[in-house]
Amino acid sequence: MEASSLPAALELVAGGGAGLSPEKRAVLGSSLLLLQRDYRFERVWFWGRIQGVRGAYYIAEGLGPDRAKPRSRLYSLNCVEWSLLPPATAEMVAQTEQLRGRFQGDPSFEYESTEINEEYGERLLEDAKEPTIKEEIRLIATIEQIDREAGIIPRGAFVKTPLGSVHENRNFEGLSLTEAKKLSSYFHFTEPVNLKNKTLLEKADLDPSIDFLDSLEHDIPQGSWTVQLEKGGTVVVLRSLLWLGLTFYHVPMTKQYGYRYFGTGEKNFDLPFMI
């Protein structure tokens, strides 16, 4: 959700019970605009908050003209001072995938060897290094996983040019209420996987300029999303059951949409047994 529309957007996703205090909203509204100016981002999104035991990480994402390019991610412990996170890598995700439990809220906190992936720990021992991982690395990997598995946009909100760049669709006026209640009307805003496996016959009815991403209808496990109408049926809200705390909203027939995450940064691995 954009910095300029933060107060209204937070009200639309407040049904989950999580949110920000009036003081935090006021501070964020100012600091995110300064962030956009200082880093020369075209847009700044408030991504959400990961709550730790001793503190919380407030996350923002900076975007350039091409939305397909990796986003710059920043975190803050007080909503005023922001630190730029390095880009996420496959190695970071692999290093942290075995970590369980709550975040501490301290970027310099180190997880001990018993909590680390065995293969990665052995590699560190061979290099004569103590097998530890800083929480900042886990934070980077977690944000990347959540964006990849639960970061979504409405169909038609972005267009892909023949040159491969992705831009906001100026002609997008929102989904109809009927379409907004369908999982097939929402796409993962990340590199497609299922789309590449479709046959030419299945792709025949797709518009390559807007249907260039994977839709939610084929997510595994089935039932990992809930679709609800709120605010008297005027807002469609999607919630992820895989990453509890991820909420997406869209006001049909308008350009208002976005998602935010307010949670502990823990993946719900028990979901297949709960459905």
Side-chain angles (χ1 to χ4, degrees), residues 252-270:
M253 306 306 294
T254 74
K255 296 183 178 182
Q256 297 182 59
Y257 68 88
Y259 68 87
R260 65 97 177 101
Y261 178 80
F262 281 100
T264 60
E266 297 173 281
K267 191 174 183 178
N268 182 16
F269 290 101
D270 296 328

PDB file of all heavy atoms in Angstrom, residues 252-270:
ATOM      1  N   PRO A 252     -13.923  -2.948  -5.512  1.00  0.00           N
ATOM      2  CA  PRO A 252     -14.347  -3.170  -6.900  1.00  0.00           C
ATOM      3  C   PRO A 252     -14.713  -1.878  -7.614  1.00  0.00           C
ATOM      4  O   PRO A 252     -15.229  -0.926  -7.006  1.00  0.00           O
ATOM      5  CB  PRO A 252     -15.567  -4.093  -6.747  1.00  0.00           C
ATOM      6  CG  PRO A 252     -15.336  -4.809  -5.458  1.00  0.00           C
ATOM      7  CD  PRO A 252     -14.679  -3.799  -4.564  1.00  0.00           C
ATOM      8  N   MET A 253     -14.421  -1.834  -8.904  1.00  0.00           N
ATOM      9  CA  MET A 253     -14.704  -0.695  -9.778  1.00  0.00           C
ATOM     10  C   MET A 253     -13.903   0.553  -9.420  1.00  0.00           C
ATOM     11  O   MET A 253     -14.258   1.665  -9.791  1.00  0.00           O
ATOM     12  CB  MET A 253     -16.205  -0.369  -9.787  1.00  0.00           C
ATOM     13  CG  MET A 253     -17.093  -1.544 -10.145  1.00  0.00           C
ATOM     14  SD  MET A 253     -16.647  -2.327 -11.721  1.00  0.00           S
ATOM     15  CE  MET A 253     -17.024  -0.994 -12.879  1.00  0.00           C
ATOM     16  N   THR A 254     -12.808   0.353  -8.680  1.00  0.00           N
ATOM     17  CA  THR A 254     -11.895   1.459  -8.381  1.00  0.00           C
ATOM     18  C   THR A 254     -10.459   0.944  -8.517  1.00  0.00           C
ATOM     19  O   THR A 254     -10.219  -0.252  -8.651  1.00  0.00           O
ATOM     20  CB  THR A 254     -12.080   2.018  -6.952  1.00  0.00           C
ATOM     21  OG1 THR A 254     -11.525   1.090  -6.010  1.00  0.00           O
ATOM     22  CG2 THR A 254     -13.544   2.266  -6.645  1.00  0.00           C
ATOM     23  N   LYS A 255      -9.508   1.857  -8.450  1.00  0.00           N
ATOM     24  CA  LYS A 255      -8.098   1.491  -8.520  1.00  0.00           C
ATOM     25  C   LYS A 255      -7.506   1.190  -7.145  1.00  0.00           C
ATOM     26  O   LYS A 255      -6.287   1.007  -7.029  1.00  0.00           O
ATOM     27  CB  LYS A 255      -7.300   2.630  -9.179  1.00  0.00           C
ATOM     28  CG  LYS A 255      -7.682   2.882 -10.633  1.00  0.00           C
ATOM     29  CD  LYS A 255      -6.802   3.955 -11.240  1.00  0.00           C
ATOM     30  CE  LYS A 255      -7.150   4.176 -12.710  1.00  0.00           C
ATOM     31  NZ  LYS A 255      -6.276   5.198 -13.340  1.00  0.00           N
ATOM     32  N   GLN A 256      -8.341   1.129  -6.131  1.00  0.00           N
ATOM     33  CA  GLN A 256      -7.848   0.914  -4.774  1.00  0.00           C
ATOM     34  C   GLN A 256      -7.599  -0.570  -4.521  1.00  0.00           C
ATOM     35  O   GLN A 256      -8.526  -1.374  -4.544  1.00  0.00           O
ATOM     36  CB  GLN A 256      -8.848   1.445  -3.755  1.00  0.00           C
ATOM     37  CG  GLN A 256      -9.090   2.944  -3.827  1.00  0.00           C
ATOM     38  CD  GLN A 256     -10.061   3.410  -2.763  1.00  0.00           C
ATOM     39  OE1 GLN A 256      -9.816   3.230  -1.578  1.00  0.00           O
ATOM     40  NE2 GLN A 256     -11.170   3.986  -3.181  1.00  0.00           N
ATOM     41  N   TYR A 257      -6.350  -0.911  -4.276  1.00  0.00           N
ATOM     42  CA  TYR A 257      -5.991  -2.284  -3.914  1.00  0.00           C
ATOM     43  C   TYR A 257      -4.621  -2.259  -3.242  1.00  0.00           C
ATOM     44  O   TYR A 257      -3.868  -1.283  -3.345  1.00  0.00           O
ATOM     45  CB  TYR A 257      -5.968  -3.195  -5.142  1.00  0.00           C
ATOM     46  CG  TYR A 257      -4.849  -2.887  -6.118  1.00  0.00           C
ATOM     47  CD1 TYR A 257      -3.587  -3.462  -5.981  1.00  0.00           C
ATOM     48  CD2 TYR A 257      -5.054  -1.994  -7.172  1.00  0.00           C
ATOM     49  CE1 TYR A 257      -2.564  -3.161  -6.853  1.00  0.00           C
ATOM     50  CE2 TYR A 257      -4.037  -1.688  -8.056  1.00  0.00           C
ATOM     51  CZ  TYR A 257      -2.785  -2.285  -7.896  1.00  0.00           C
ATOM     52  OH  TYR A 257      -1.776  -1.971  -8.755  1.00  0.00           O
ATOM     53  N   GLY A 258      -4.296  -3.329  -2.574  1.00  0.00           N
ATOM     54  CA  GLY A 258      -2.988  -3.429  -1.938  1.00  0.00           C
ATOM     55  C   GLY A 258      -2.980  -4.552  -0.916  1.00  0.00           C
ATOM     56  O   GLY A 258      -4.015  -5.162  -0.644  1.00  0.00           O
ATOM     57  N   TYR A 259      -1.828  -4.836  -0.384  1.00  0.00           N
ATOM     58  CA  TYR A 259      -1.740  -5.843   0.673  1.00  0.00           C
ATOM     59  C   TYR A 259      -0.753  -5.394   1.734  1.00  0.00           C
ATOM     60  O   TYR A 259       0.123  -4.570   1.489  1.00  0.00           O
ATOM     61  CB  TYR A 259      -1.350  -7.212   0.098  1.00  0.00           C
ATOM     62  CG  TYR A 259       0.057  -7.327  -0.461  1.00  0.00           C
ATOM     63  CD1 TYR A 259       1.142  -7.665   0.359  1.00  0.00           C
ATOM     64  CD2 TYR A 259       0.311  -7.128  -1.816  1.00  0.00           C
ATOM     65  CE1 TYR A 259       2.417  -7.789  -0.152  1.00  0.00           C
ATOM     66  CE2 TYR A 259       1.582  -7.255  -2.339  1.00  0.00           C
ATOM     67  CZ  TYR A 259       2.639  -7.584  -1.497  1.00  0.00           C
ATOM     68  OH  TYR A 259       3.919  -7.704  -2.011  1.00  0.00           O
ATOM     69  N   ARG A 260      -0.925  -5.943   2.905  1.00  0.00           N
ATOM     70  CA  ARG A 260       0.006  -5.670   3.994  1.00  0.00           C
ATOM     71  C   ARG A 260       0.130  -6.914   4.853  1.00  0.00           C
ATOM     72  O   ARG A 260      -0.737  -7.776   4.864  1.00  0.00           O
ATOM     73  CB  ARG A 260      -0.451  -4.468   4.826  1.00  0.00           C
ATOM     74  CG  ARG A 260      -1.765  -4.688   5.581  1.00  0.00           C
ATOM     75  CD  ARG A 260      -1.498  -5.098   7.002  1.00  0.00           C
ATOM     76  NE  ARG A 260      -2.732  -5.253   7.770  1.00  0.00           N
ATOM     77  CZ  ARG A 260      -3.288  -6.395   8.038  1.00  0.00           C
ATOM     78  NH1 ARG A 260      -2.792  -7.504   7.557  1.00  0.00           N
ATOM     79  NH2 ARG A 260      -4.367  -6.474   8.798  1.00  0.00           N
ATOM     80  N   TYR A 261       1.244  -6.995   5.573  1.00  0.00           N
ATOM     81  CA  TYR A 261       1.489  -8.145   6.434  1.00  0.00           C
ATOM     82  C   TYR A 261       1.718  -7.666   7.862  1.00  0.00           C
ATOM     83  O   TYR A 261       2.569  -6.816   8.105  1.00  0.00           O
ATOM     84  CB  TYR A 261       2.713  -8.934   5.950  1.00  0.00           C
ATOM     85  CG  TYR A 261       3.041 -10.123   6.839  1.00  0.00           C
ATOM     86  CD1 TYR A 261       2.343 -11.316   6.723  1.00  0.00           C
ATOM     87  CD2 TYR A 261       4.033 -10.034   7.806  1.00  0.00           C
ATOM     88  CE1 TYR A 261       2.618 -12.402   7.543  1.00  0.00           C
ATOM     89  CE2 TYR A 261       4.325 -11.118   8.623  1.00  0.00           C
ATOM     90  CZ  TYR A 261       3.617 -12.298   8.482  1.00  0.00           C
ATOM     91  OH  TYR A 261       3.886 -13.360   9.313  1.00  0.00           O
ATOM     92  N   PHE A 262       0.932  -8.190   8.779  1.00  0.00           N
ATOM     93  CA  PHE A 262       1.132  -7.947  10.199  1.00  0.00           C
ATOM     94  C   PHE A 262       1.145  -9.319  10.874  1.00  0.00           C
ATOM     95  O   PHE A 262       0.092  -9.907  11.118  1.00  0.00           O
ATOM     96  CB  PHE A 262       0.003  -7.094  10.792  1.00  0.00           C
ATOM     97  CG  PHE A 262       0.122  -5.628  10.501  1.00  0.00           C
ATOM     98  CD1 PHE A 262      -0.620  -5.050   9.492  1.00  0.00           C
ATOM     99  CD2 PHE A 262       0.990  -4.832  11.225  1.00  0.00           C
ATOM    100  CE1 PHE A 262      -0.512  -3.697   9.198  1.00  0.00           C
ATOM    101  CE2 PHE A 262       1.107  -3.478  10.946  1.00  0.00           C
ATOM    102  CZ  PHE A 262       0.354  -2.904   9.934  1.00  0.00           C
ATOM    103  N   GLY A 263       2.327  -9.826  11.132  1.00  0.00           N
ATOM    104  CA  GLY A 263       2.418 -11.152  11.735  1.00  0.00           C
ATOM    105  C   GLY A 263       3.770 -11.384  12.371  1.00  0.00           C
ATOM    106  O   GLY A 263       4.567 -10.457  12.559  1.00  0.00           O
ATOM    107  N   THR A 264       4.043 -12.639  12.685  1.00  0.00           N
ATOM    108  CA  THR A 264       5.287 -13.001  13.373  1.00  0.00           C
ATOM    109  C   THR A 264       6.368 -13.487  12.409  1.00  0.00           C
ATOM    110  O   THR A 264       7.469 -13.826  12.842  1.00  0.00           O
ATOM    111  CB  THR A 264       5.011 -14.109  14.408  1.00  0.00           C
ATOM    112  OG1 THR A 264       4.480 -15.263  13.727  1.00  0.00           O
ATOM    113  CG2 THR A 264       4.012 -13.634  15.458  1.00  0.00           C
ATOM    114  N   GLY A 265       6.043 -13.542  11.113  1.00  0.00           N
ATOM    115  CA  GLY A 265       7.033 -14.006  10.156  1.00  0.00           C
ATOM    116  C   GLY A 265       7.201 -15.507  10.127  1.00  0.00           C
ATOM    117  O   GLY A 265       8.192 -16.018   9.597  1.00  0.00           O
ATOM    118  N   GLU A 266       6.224 -16.236  10.671  1.00  0.00           N
ATOM    119  CA  GLU A 266       6.290 -17.699  10.713  1.00  0.00           C
ATOM    120  C   GLU A 266       5.299 -18.287   9.712  1.00  0.00           C
ATOM    121  O   GLU A 266       4.124 -17.923   9.710  1.00  0.00           O
ATOM    122  CB  GLU A 266       5.971 -18.214  12.112  1.00  0.00           C
ATOM    123  CG  GLU A 266       6.959 -17.754  13.172  1.00  0.00           C
ATOM    124  CD  GLU A 266       6.514 -18.146  14.573  1.00  0.00           C
ATOM    125  OE1 GLU A 266       5.635 -17.456  15.130  1.00  0.00           O
ATOM    126  OE2 GLU A 266       7.031 -19.140  15.092  1.00  0.00           O
ATOM    127  N   LYS A 267       5.775 -19.206   8.916  1.00  0.00           N
ATOM    128  CA  LYS A 267       4.934 -19.866   7.922  1.00  0.00           C
ATOM    129  C   LYS A 267       4.071 -20.929   8.588  1.00  0.00           C
ATOM    130  O   LYS A 267       4.513 -21.627   9.509  1.00  0.00           O
ATOM    131  CB  LYS A 267       5.808 -20.501   6.843  1.00  0.00           C
ATOM    132  CG  LYS A 267       5.058 -20.992   5.623  1.00  0.00           C
ATOM    133  CD  LYS A 267       6.032 -21.462   4.551  1.00  0.00           C
ATOM    134  CE  LYS A 267       5.319 -21.901   3.288  1.00  0.00           C
ATOM    135  NZ  LYS A 267       6.271 -22.316   2.225  1.00  0.00           N
ATOM    136  N   ASN A 268       2.835 -21.061   8.123  1.00  0.00           N
ATOM    137  CA  ASN A 268       1.902 -22.031   8.699  1.00  0.00           C
ATOM    138  C   ASN A 268       2.087 -23.387   8.007  1.00  0.00           C
ATOM    139  O   ASN A 268       1.371 -23.731   7.072  1.00  0.00           O
ATOM    140  CB  ASN A 268       0.462 -21.531   8.530  1.00  0.00           C
ATOM    141  CG  ASN A 268      -0.553 -22.473   9.166  1.00  0.00           C
ATOM    142  OD1 ASN A 268      -0.188 -23.340   9.975  1.00  0.00           O
ATOM    143  ND2 ASN A 268      -1.808 -22.330   8.806  1.00  0.00           N
ATOM    144  N   PHE A 269       3.064 -24.154   8.498  1.00  0.00           N
ATOM    145  CA  PHE A 269       3.354 -25.456   7.895  1.00  0.00           C
ATOM    146  C   PHE A 269       2.261 -26.488   8.186  1.00  0.00           C
ATOM    147  O   PHE A 269       2.229 -27.540   7.565  1.00  0.00           O
ATOM    148  CB  PHE A 269       4.698 -25.982   8.404  1.00  0.00           C
ATOM    149  CG  PHE A 269       5.879 -25.220   7.883  1.00  0.00           C
ATOM    150  CD1 PHE A 269       6.511 -24.264   8.665  1.00  0.00           C
ATOM    151  CD2 PHE A 269       6.356 -25.443   6.600  1.00  0.00           C
ATOM    152  CE1 PHE A 269       7.605 -23.559   8.182  1.00  0.00           C
ATOM    153  CE2 PHE A 269       7.447 -24.742   6.107  1.00  0.00           C
ATOM    154  CZ  PHE A 269       8.077 -23.791   6.899  1.00  0.00           C
ATOM    155  N   ASP A 270       1.376 -26.198   9.132  1.00  0.00           N
ATOM    156  CA  ASP A 270       0.304 -27.131   9.474  1.00  0.00           C
ATOM    157  C   ASP A 270      -0.922 -26.983   8.580  1.00  0.00           C
ATOM    158  O   ASP A 270      -1.890 -27.727   8.749  1.00  0.00           O
ATOM    159  CB  ASP A 270      -0.136 -26.931  10.939  1.00  0.00           C
ATOM    160  CG  ASP A 270       0.986 -27.258  11.922  1.00  0.00           C
ATOM    161  OD1 ASP A 270       1.805 -28.156  11.611  1.00  0.00           O
ATOM    162  OD2 ASP A 270       1.055 -26.626  13.000  1.00  0.00           O
TER     163      ASP A 270
END
